[in-house]
Amino acid sequence: MANERLRAAIVDLGLTLDEVAERLGVASKTVERWINDPDRKPYRRFQYATASLLKCEVSYLWPDERTSADVTASGNAELVRLYPHRSVVPQTLWTDVYAKAMRRFDVLVYSGFWLTEDATFHRIVKEKSADGVPIRFMLGEPTSPAVAVRGEDEGIGSAMAGKIRNALINYGPLFGLPGVEFRLHSTTLYNSIYRADDEMLANGHIYGVGAYMAPVLHLQRVPGGELFDAYAESVERVWEAARPISSPADWEGAH
């Protein structure tokens, strides 16, 4: 059965599907599927955006959706622990999390330089590579505007780009290992994200503060949770837009 409430809400405001799609940042065919295919519900962030645009409650447009209390409860279950800043996170936690990876092993940072000096982490990468686990490193494009801005925000200026170059050099022995891929991104990062399967450490970025002094969320994926997936989806978007490199020197290739 089609979602007649959604269709009617759009019509009542005198909007077209193209107009709704443009304001939500999706394709018009996507909005059409939300209406005509009851099994194709939008992600929750789009449900809220659609409800706001159409001046309706989410529960009115999608009556069978969970209540906000349900969502909050699931979110609480996803949070394993909150650390006030990265410097108080036990160093072994990072490697313990990655040591359990069987399907996904992602590092999304600007430089994450501190991790490149961890011999245990290097050993785990090599072991996981040998085990066939896909490993993805996403570091900032050293000459990108986003990196320059982050350097200024942290008060270290061009040193941010230097940290990335040094991180790539430290990762040199990992280039070419089976299943290990490196890409450079030009994204404005709001969090550095370290993911292994259904576990994640998300290190927030705060204006004027280095990442080592910013909070870290230790998250786990749980049934019905949305917080973990929201971070995980952002990793995928960065990966898709990032530039592959095959050696530490490749950052110079596009400049």
Side-chain angles (χ1 to χ4, degrees):
M1 180 182 295
N3 189 334
E4 296 300 339
R5 290 186 176 184
L6 177 57
R7 189 198 310 274
I10 293 173
V11 172
D12 287 346
L13 287 181
L15 297 174
T16 66
L17 296 188
D18 288 340
E19 289 171 334
V20 172
E22 181 179 1
R23 297 190 192 185
L24 295 177
V26 300
S28 57
K29 288 185 177 179
T30 298
V31 179
E32 185 177 351
R33 284 195 291 269
W34 293 345
I35 295 173
N36 296 323
D37 186 348
D39 295 325
R40 295 295 296 271
K41 296 176 184 176
Y43 289 119
R44 180 160 290 270
R45 67 177 184 274
F46 287 123
Q47 290 182 10
Y48 282 118
T50 303
S52 177
L53 173 64
L54 301 179
K55 299 178 174 53
C56 298
E57 294 291 334
V58 171
S59 58
Y60 172 79
L61 296 175
W62 292 279
D64 57 341
E65 285 302 299
R66 295 178 301 154
T67 66
S68 58
D70 293 333
V71 175
T72 299
S74 297
N76 289 337
E78 290 180 280
L79 180 61
V80 178
R81 186 166 182 179
L82 168 64
Y83 295 91
H85 41 84
R86 196 184 73 202
S87 62
V88 301
V89 178
Q91 182 63 23
T92 56
L93 179 59
W94 309 88
T95 48
D96 287 348
V97 167
Y98 279 120
K100 293 182 284 186
M102 300 295 292
R103 306 181 312 278
R104 290 183 178 272
F105 188 123
D106 295 331
V107 177
L108 170 58
V109 294
Y110 277 133
S111 72
F113 183 76
W114 60 277
L115 194 59
T116 73
E117 297 185 309
D118 189 320
T120 301
F121 178 69
H122 279 253
R123 174 179 57 78
I124 291 171
V125 172
K126 292 174 183 177
E127 290 174 352
K128 294 302 175 180
S129 168
D131 290 341
V133 177
I135 300 169
R136 304 187 300 180
F137 287 95
M138 291 154 269
L139 279 72
E141 186 84 59
T143 57
S144 68
V147 166
V149 169
R150 183 58 190 167
E152 294 300 322
D153 289 349
E154 288 194 14
I156 62 174
S158 61
M160 175 61 73
K163 288 173 64 177
I164 296 171
R165 297 182 185 111
N166 289 337
L168 290 170
I169 292 171
N170 286 352
Y171 279 143
L174 304 181
F175 280 84
L177 291 178
V180 177
E181 296 183 76
F182 283 84
R183 292 189 181 185
L184 298 180
H185 67 87
S186 301
T187 312
T188 299
L189 284 188
Y190 301 99
N191 300 271
S192 295
I193 299 176
Y194 307 83
R195 177 189 180 179
D197 295 348
D198 294 333
E199 201 166 354
M200 175 188 297
L201 294 162
N203 185 188
H205 292 182
I206 298 177
Y207 179 80
V209 175
Y212 72 97
M213 286 298 292
V216 173
L217 300 178
H218 184 186
L219 302 174
Q220 62 183 349
R221 174 179 272 147
V222 301
E226 299 179 1
L227 186 58
F228 184 99
D229 286 342
Y231 283 103
E233 287 170 16
S234 73
V235 173
E236 298 306 318
R237 287 192 289 270
V238 174
W239 178 256
E240 290 301 320
R243 176 171 71 89
I245 59 173
S246 57
S247 78
D250 279 357
W251 70 268
E252 298 176 306
H255 307 287

